[in-house]
């Protein structure tokens, strides 16, 4: 593809040869195509191609990417489905949390998962130079929005606060965690958070395809509690749901 190409994509995690939250990812891909008014590919065909890919390439754990590449030369997208280098938090990172750095930037259209090469390159540079795990984006109004490849949640008085959906890319893991919280009666508040207010929270965590649900130990020079009962409850429930997802997918393939 060239610089003028528009690339819509989904990154999906595979565990025990099962794509995690598969249908939700495909639905979001369809939604992105519709929002941009583009011609949608046959998503049922894409699903079958993924199933076939995993049958001939059994894999314990890795991410793969579905890319729809729209060029000026055709209304129909080129389709690529391929495994990508994948990195997951270590056991120690899950136990003691990770460090984030704030960075002033924003997505042009946060509700569409479209490739932003400039933002990705800048975030990767900061991560490499600082040694942090992730970048936390702050917009021109000084509101915290999301990570460069994750969503962020804050914990306060046994409630969870996360930036409103219209300000962020609605990550699949974000959606799953919100549903889990509602089931176990943990209050969820979608509210704007100023960057100068992040020191008022008891804890924080990020969600994403690779990190899953990962505690934050530090944002810039602000430290958080990573051992809260609330966060532990969410992590256990999330891990159980992933296992259920694997079982359900494998059962349907028999």
């Amino acid at each position: 593809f060239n610089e003028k190409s528009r690339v819509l994509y989904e990154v999906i995690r595979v565990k025990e040869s099962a794509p995690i939250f598969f249908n939700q990812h495909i639905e979001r891909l369809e939604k992105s195509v519709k929002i941009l008014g583009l011609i949608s590919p046959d998503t049922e065909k894409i699903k079958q191609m993924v199933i076939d890919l995993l049958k001939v390439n059994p894999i314990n754990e890795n991410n793969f990417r579905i890319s729809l590449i729209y060029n000026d030369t055709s209304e129909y997208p080129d389709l690529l489905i391929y495994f990508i280098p994948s990195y997951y938090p270590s056991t120690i990172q899950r136990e003691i949390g990770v460090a984030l750095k704030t960075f002033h930037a924003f997505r042009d259209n946060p509700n569409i998962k479209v490739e932003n090469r400039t933002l990705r390159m800048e975030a990767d540079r900061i991560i490499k130079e600082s040694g942090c795990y992730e970048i936390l984006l702050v917009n021109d109004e000084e509101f915290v929005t999301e990570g460069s490849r994750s969503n962020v949640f804050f914990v306060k008085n046994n409630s969870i606060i996360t930036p409103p959906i219209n300000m962020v890319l609605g990550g699949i893991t974000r959606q799953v965690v919100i549903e889990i919280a509602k089931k176990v009666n943990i209050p969820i508040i979608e509210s704007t958070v100023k960057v100068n207010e992040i020191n008022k929270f008891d804890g924080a965590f990020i969600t994403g395809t690779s990190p899953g649900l990962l505690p934050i130990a530090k944002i810039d020079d602000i430290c958080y509690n990573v051992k809260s009962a609330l966060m532990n409850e969410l992590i256990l429930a999330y891990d159980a749901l992933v296992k259920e997802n694997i079982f359900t997918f494998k059962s349907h393939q028999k």
Side-chain angles (χ1 to χ4, degrees), residues 2-14:
N2 57 48
E3 288 298 319
K4 293 183 179 180
S5 300
R6 181 172 287 180
V7 182
L8 304 183
Y9 70 100
E10 287 291 325
V11 173
I12 302 173
R13 187 170 184 169
V14 175

Side-chain angles (χ1 to χ4, degrees), residues 10 24-25 28 110 113 146 150-151 153 165 168-178 207-209:
E10 287 291 325
Q24 292 98 315
H25 279 284
R28 184 172 64 173
K113 196 170 178 68
E146 58 193 325
S150 63
N151 290 110
F153 292 78
I165 188 64
V168 303
L169 176 66
I172 300 303
T173 311
R174 175 188 186 273
Q175 173 186 321
V176 168
V177 167
I178 288 174
T207 60
T209 298

